[in-house]
C-alpha cells in the first residue's frame, strides 16, 4: 500500500512538473510554423505606401488608410499581433476563460497562425489556430497531451480565409493584394471579396465619419463547435478605442461576436492589442 501511495505521489508530481515547464508540443508546432513562414517570406525591399496606392480602393477604405497615417510608412510582408488577458469563450455553454493569444499574418500567401495559451482548473490548455497553404485548422490540447478537438475541412478553410480578410485593416499591404476585390457600398461601407486556393469569401467593412473602421461582418464564417457541429451564423469583428502608436492610428480594442438566433455571443474580447510589422 505504501509503495502504491509513493508511486501515485511521484506520478502526480511528474505531471505537475510537466505542466509547468515551458515546453509543449503545441507551442513547438506554432513556433515551427512561424519560423518557417517568416524565413520563407522576404521583407518588402525599401518601399513605402504612397497616396497612389490607396487610389484603387473604395472611398471609405481609402480614407481609413489616409487618415490612419500609413502614407509614407514602409510596406510590410507580415504582422505580429499580441493579445494578453483576453476574455474568451470556447462554446456557448462554456464559462469565459482568460487567454493569451499570439498571432502572425503573412501577406503574400496569404497565411495566418495563432497560439492560444491558458489553463482550465489549473490544467494547461493550449490551441493552434492556423491557415496555411489554403487549409484552415483549429486544435485544442488539454494538459499539453490530450487533443480535445482538431477541426479541419472545407468550412474551416473558408472560415480561416475570411478571418484573414477581416484583419486587412491592420495589415494594409494585404488590402492591396490582387486576391482581394473591393466594391464601394456607400460613403461608410465597402465590400471586400477574397479568393485564394479555389475558395472565395466576402464581408462588409463599416466606417465612421472620422475614417476609423468600426467593424467587419460576414455570412461566410461557419461556427464549428468543439464536438464538430456546424452552424451558419453571421459573424462580426468590432474595432474600437483607436490610439496613435508610432505615428499610426490603430484600434486597441477588438471583439469577435457570433450573432446566434438566441442572442449575440461575444467570445473574444481584448482591449490591449499590440502590433509589430516586418
Amino acid at each position: 500500500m505504501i509503495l502504491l501511495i509513493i508511486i501515485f505521489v511521484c506520478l502526480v508530481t511528474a505531471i505537475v512538473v510537466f505542466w509547468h515547464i515551458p515546453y509543449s508540443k503545441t507551442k513547438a508546432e506554432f513556433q515551427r510554423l512561424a519560423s518557417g513562414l517568416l524565413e520563407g517570406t522576404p521583407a518588402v525591399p525599401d518601399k513605402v505606401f504612397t497616396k497612389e496606392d490607396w487610389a484603387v480602393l473604395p472611398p471609405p477604405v481609402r480614407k481609413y488608410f489616409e487618415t490612419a497615417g500609413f502614407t509614407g510608412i514602409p510596406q510590410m510582408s507580415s504582422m505580429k499581433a499580441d493579445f494578453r488577458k483576453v476574455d474568451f469563450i470556447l462554446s456557448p455553454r462554456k464559462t469565459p476563460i482568460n487567454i493569451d493569444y499570439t498571432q502572425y499574418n503573412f501577406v503574400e500567401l496569404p497565411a495566418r497562425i495563432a497560439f492560444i495559451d491558458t489553463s482550465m482548473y489549473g490544467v494547461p490548455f493550449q490551441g493552434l489556430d492556423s491557415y496555411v497553404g489554403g487549409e484552415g485548422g483549429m486544435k485544442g490540447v488539454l494538459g499539453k497531451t490530450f487533443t480535445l478537438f482538431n477541426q479541419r475541412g472545407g468550412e474551416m478553410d473558408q472560415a480561416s480565409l475570411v478571418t484573414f480578410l477581416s484583419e486587412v485593416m491592420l495589415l494594409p499591404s494585404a488590402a492591396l493584394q490582387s486576391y482581394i476585390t473591393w466594391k464601394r457600398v456607400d460613403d461608410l461601407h465597402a465590400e471586400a471579396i477574397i479568393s485564394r486556393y479555389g475558395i472565395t469569401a466576402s464581408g462588409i467593412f463599416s466606417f465612421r465619419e472620422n475614417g476609423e473602421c468600426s467593424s467587419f461582418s460576414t455570412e461566410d464564417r461557419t461556427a464549428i463547435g468543439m464536438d464538430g457541429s456546424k452552424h451558419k451564423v453571421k459573424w462580426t469583428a468590432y474595432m474600437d478605442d483607436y490610439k496613435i502608436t508610432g505615428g499610426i492610428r490603430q484600434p486597441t480594442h477588438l471583439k469577435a461576436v457570433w450573432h446566434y438566433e438566441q442572442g449575440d455571443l461575444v467570445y473574444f474580447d481584448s482591449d490591449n492589442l499590440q502590433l509589430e510589422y516586418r
Side-chain angles (χ1 to χ4, degrees):
M1 186 64 180
I2 293 177
L3 179 60
L4 287 175
I5 293 173
I6 292 173
I7 293 173
F8 177 75
V9 171
C10 289
L11 184 61
V12 170
T13 302
I15 291 172
V16 171
V17 170
F18 175 63
W19 285 348
H20 284 81
I21 61 174
Y23 174 81
S24 80
K25 188 177 177 181
T26 307
K27 187 175 184 179
E29 183 179 0
F30 169 75
Q31 291 172 332
R32 178 183 58 77
L33 279 173
S35 297
L37 289 166
L38 286 167
E39 290 172 5
T41 306
V44 178
D46 197 25
K47 194 175 179 182
V48 300
F49 292 111
T50 66
K51 289 174 60 177
E52 289 71 28
D53 289 325
W54 317 129
V56 300
L57 300 170
V61 184
R62 187 164 65 235
K63 184 177 179 179
Y64 171 86
F65 288 123
E66 288 176 342
T67 58
F70 281 107
T71 306
I73 295 294
Q75 297 190 18
M76 63 288 285
S77 59
S78 65
M79 171 186 84
K80 180 183 180 184
D82 272 316
F83 303 86
R84 294 290 171 263
K85 298 181 179 179
V86 180
D87 291 330
F88 184 74
I89 295 176
L90 274 169
S91 72
R93 290 178 294 279
K94 299 290 183 183
T95 54
I97 57 176
N98 211 243
I99 66 168
D100 290 337
Y101 192 89
T102 305
Q103 167 188 340
Y104 288 93
N105 290 33
F106 298 87
V107 173
E108 188 177 354
L109 298 173
R112 179 184 184 278
I113 58 172
F115 176 65
I116 300 165
D117 193 17
T118 185
S119 64
M120 295 190 295
Y121 307 106
V123 181
F125 174 81
Q126 296 174 326
L128 181 61
D129 185 1
S130 62
Y131 178 69
V132 180
E135 295 184 359
M138 174 63 82
K139 180 166 64 177
V141 179
L142 186 66
K144 298 186 177 181
T145 304
F146 303 102
T147 301
L148 294 182
F149 53 89
N150 189 8
Q151 310 297 359
R152 291 192 170 274
E155 289 92 347
M156 184 59 74
D157 297 344
Q158 188 184 41
S160 300
L161 182 64
V162 80
T163 302
F164 178 90
L165 177 63
S166 74
E167 295 167 341
V168 298
M169 290 299 150
L170 307 176
L171 186 58
S173 289
L176 297 171
Q177 297 300 303
S178 60
Y179 52 68
I180 296 179
T181 302
W182 291 96
K183 293 182 180 179
R184 177 184 181 275
V185 176
D186 56 33
D187 289 345
L188 295 177
H189 300 85
E191 181 182 12
I193 304 163
I194 186 168
S195 297
R196 202 72 174 95
Y197 302 107
I199 295 177
T200 296
S202 65
I204 301 291
F205 285 96
S206 300
F207 300 86
R208 301 187 178 98
E209 293 284 356
N210 66 359
E212 294 176 355
C213 182
S214 58
S215 67
F216 171 86
S217 292
T218 181
E219 306 280 354
D220 289 338
R221 197 174 189 275
T222 302
I224 303 175
M226 293 173 61
D227 59 357
S229 59
K230 299 171 184 175
H231 303 280
K232 271 289 185 184
V233 183
K234 183 180 178 181
W235 179 84
T236 299
Y238 292 97
M239 290 156 267
D240 210 340
D241 293 344
Y242 280 79
K243 295 179 182 175
I244 305 295
T245 304
I248 300 173
R249 181 189 65 198
Q250 293 175 329
T252 60
H253 189 178
L254 268 68
K255 195 164 60 174
V257 180
W258 289 113
H259 301 287
Y260 290 105
E261 285 184 6
Q262 304 90 326
D264 289 352
L265 174 68
V266 180
Y267 72 93
F268 185 102
D269 193 349
S270 170
D271 61 0
N272 59 5
L273 169 63
Q274 299 287 326
L275 294 173
E276 295 177 22
Y277 294 117
R278 174 178 181 268

